[in-house]
Every structure is written in C-alpha cells, then in structure tokens.
Amino acid sequence: MKGTNGRRAGLSIVAVTLLTGVAGCSSGGSGGDGESSPSSSSSSSSSKGGGTHVSPIAALRTAEKSTDGADSAKVESTTTMGSLMAMTADGSLGWGDGLTGTLTITYTGGTMADTMRQLGTTSMEARYLPDAYYARMGDVFAEQAGGKHWIKYPYEALETLGGGSGAYLKDQMENSTPNQSVKLLLASGDVRRVGEETVRGEHTTHYSGTVEVADLATRNSSLTDSQLADLKKQLEQAGVTTETVDIWVDDENLLVKKVEQGQAANGAYSQTAYYSDYGTPVDTEVPPAADTADFSDLLQQQGAAPTS
C-alpha cells in the first residue's frame, strides 16, 4: 500500500513539474497592454520601402495588434532551463476565442528528460483549450495512474500551487500566445530597434529590450497584493531578476521569431520560438474523460501518501 501511494505521490510531482516547465517557457507572461510602458529610446527607424520614421514603440504596438488579430499560427520552439530541462515544441496555436491548439513536446535533456524516460517516453502531446491544459503521458505513467494517459490542468485550479506563483502560472497558461511576447517587450524600459535581418528567408526588423521580471508581475492587475508579495519573494529566491527579449517582425507586422533569456539560481534559461502560417486552421478536441486524470486529484493523492 505504501509503495502504491509513493508512486502516486511521485506522479503528482511529475504533474506539477510538467506544468511549470511548459508554462514557464510559454510566450511571455502578463506584459500589460504597452500603453503605460516607459518611454523607449528616442531613436527612430525608417520603414522598408519608404521614408516614414516609426518609433520602436509605435512599430511594436502595430505588430502586437496585427499578431493578435491573426488568430492562429504554427509554432516551433526550443527551450532550456538550467539543469532542469531542454525541450522542443512543435504544433499550432489559436487564440481567436480563448486559447486552443496542440503541441508535441519532446524533452531532450536535463532531469525532466530523465524523469520522462523512466515513464516510458520523452515526448508528450499537449492540448490547450479555453478552460484547461491537457498533457498526454505514456503507457508507463498510465499503469501508475489508474490506466489514464492524460493529465488535465483546469486553469481555475492552478492557484492551488500556492500564493502568487499559482495565480501567475494560471495567467501564463491562459495567455500563451505570440502577441504576448510583443507585449512583454513593450513593458520593458529600453525598447530599441536593432536593425533589419533575414529570418528563414523573410525580411524582418529586429527589436530588443530588457524586462524587470518583478515589475512585470506587478503589471498583472489580476494578482492581489498578497499574491504579488508571494510571487516577488519566490522570484528573489529563484534568483530571477531580469530577462532580455528579442523579437523579429516581418513586413506584414507579424511576429516571426522571439528569443527570451535570463539567469536563475539553478542556471540560465532561454527560449527561441518561430511563428509561421498565420491563420492556419486549429481544431483541438477535449481528450476522453475516461482516459483523463485531474491535476488536483494527483495533488490530493500526494498529500494523502504520507499518512498511509
């Protein structure tokens, strides 16, 4: 009996780690709307093919609106988080009516890859729906989880992770869209135009800035004062202070590449993502209920394990 409960406790830990790994490396967090951002560098740039001078802030506001209005895109990304994990993601996301989409996530290194390998596979399918995120595990996981392959993470339940971090995680999961990266850069105090570059054969304009992570969290009005205080304390303990954000915008004012990187106590973290085929059809189905375990139930099993 103790062995069974121990395995269930381990599964709940895996469930939390999977969620925080994916959400922590999603497309930005709550970057505000950019309207109240500090002023950028006074430098201006010429738009391609014309003499009109456009400030970085104005150009990014246009890019944010265009990217948001595109409703969907194909996504490819590579993420590293110190010794915790290295992972790739590939698929499509839609955001016209709540977040939807499907990604194939593969862990290629770090302790997460080791953990997933013990569970029989280093890859999983992730499905985003307006009210929850789902992760499909392998057969080894299912054998230890009552035959169920999917983990469901209802967004409203994520605050059970504790204090400000849970509330912030909920917000990140509900807003994992490309335009959030543009908002993130708009929230920085030093937006600057780097220059014109070619990305995968497309002409783009490169912008860059540095974000104060704690200040960024403060801009999220959905967090209470207590949650903000908890989150800032957790960020300080994790050694996370600032991160740099670089984005590349094409001639249609759409985001085609972004890079976010920073330093934490357990090592450097970074994510590079490419976006293409804006407007691509996205059709995501809810996994079968009979094959789905709820994240909250796994947490309760973890709490019950020591008493058995």
Side-chain angles (χ1 to χ4, degrees), residues 90-139:
D90 180 47
S92 300
L93 290 176
W95 53 91
D97 185 20
L99 183 65
T100 59
T102 302
L103 299 176
T104 298
I105 296 176
T106 302
Y107 292 89
T108 58
T111 55
M112 273 304 302
D114 294 337
T115 300
M116 292 292 288
R117 200 171 290 113
Q118 292 173 10
L119 292 174
T121 178
T122 55
S123 294
M124 69 176 191
E125 179 181 337
R127 293 186 188 178
Y128 295 83
L129 286 132
D131 64 336
Y133 161 79
Y134 296 82
R136 190 188 192 285
M137 307 298 292
D139 291 339

Side-chain angles (χ1 to χ4, degrees), residues 29-48:
S30 301
D33 60 8
E35 296 299 319
S36 59
S37 304
S39 298
S40 69
S41 164
S42 61
S43 63
S44 61
S45 60
S46 298
S47 61
K48 187 186 180 208

Side-chain angles (χ1 to χ4, degrees), residues 88-267:
T88 63
D90 180 47
S92 300
L93 290 176
W95 53 91
D97 185 20
L99 183 65
T100 59
T102 302
L103 299 176
T104 298
I105 296 176
T106 302
Y107 292 89
T108 58
T111 55
M112 273 304 302
D114 294 337
T115 300
M116 292 292 288
R117 200 171 290 113
Q118 292 173 10
L119 292 174
T121 178
T122 55
S123 294
M124 69 176 191
E125 179 181 337
R127 293 186 188 178
Y128 295 83
L129 286 132
D131 64 336
Y133 161 79
Y134 296 82
R136 190 188 192 285
M137 307 298 292
D139 291 339
V140 175
F141 176 91
E143 289 174 1
Q144 301 177 26
K148 298 179 180 181
H149 292 84
W150 290 90
I151 307 174
K152 177 183 179 181
Y153 300 91
Y155 297 137
E156 291 301 324
L158 295 186
E159 292 184 40
T160 60
L161 286 177
S165 62
Y168 194 58
L169 180 61
K170 171 182 177 289
D171 184 81
Q172 283 188 302
M173 293 301 295
E174 291 181 300
N175 295 283
S176 300
T177 58
N179 69 306
Q180 295 300 320
S181 295
V182 186
K183 288 185 177 183
L184 189 64
L185 187 52
L186 279 167
S188 73
D190 68 341
V191 177
R192 59 192 181 279
R193 180 182 185 275
V194 178
E196 297 181 8
E197 300 174 12
T198 300
V199 175
R200 294 187 168 183
E202 292 189 62
H203 174 270
T204 69
T205 304
H206 178 187
Y207 299 92
S208 183
T210 301
V211 176
E212 295 285 341
V213 178
D215 290 345
L216 179 65
T218 303
R219 293 174 182 273
N220 182 358
S221 60
S222 68
L223 299 187
T224 66
D225 289 342
S226 175
Q227 289 171 334
L228 280 171
D230 287 344
L231 178 60
K232 288 183 177 181
K233 181 178 180 181
Q234 290 159 351
L235 288 171
E236 290 173 0
Q237 292 174 341
V240 179
T241 56
T242 64
E243 71 173 30
T244 60
V245 181
D246 289 82
I247 67 172
W248 288 257
V249 178
D250 70 10
D251 294 337
E252 301 298 321
N253 296 310
L254 295 171
L255 177 67
V256 296
K257 178 184 177 182
K258 74 90 181 254
V259 176
E260 294 178 30
Q261 53 190 334
Q263 187 72 34
N266 65 347

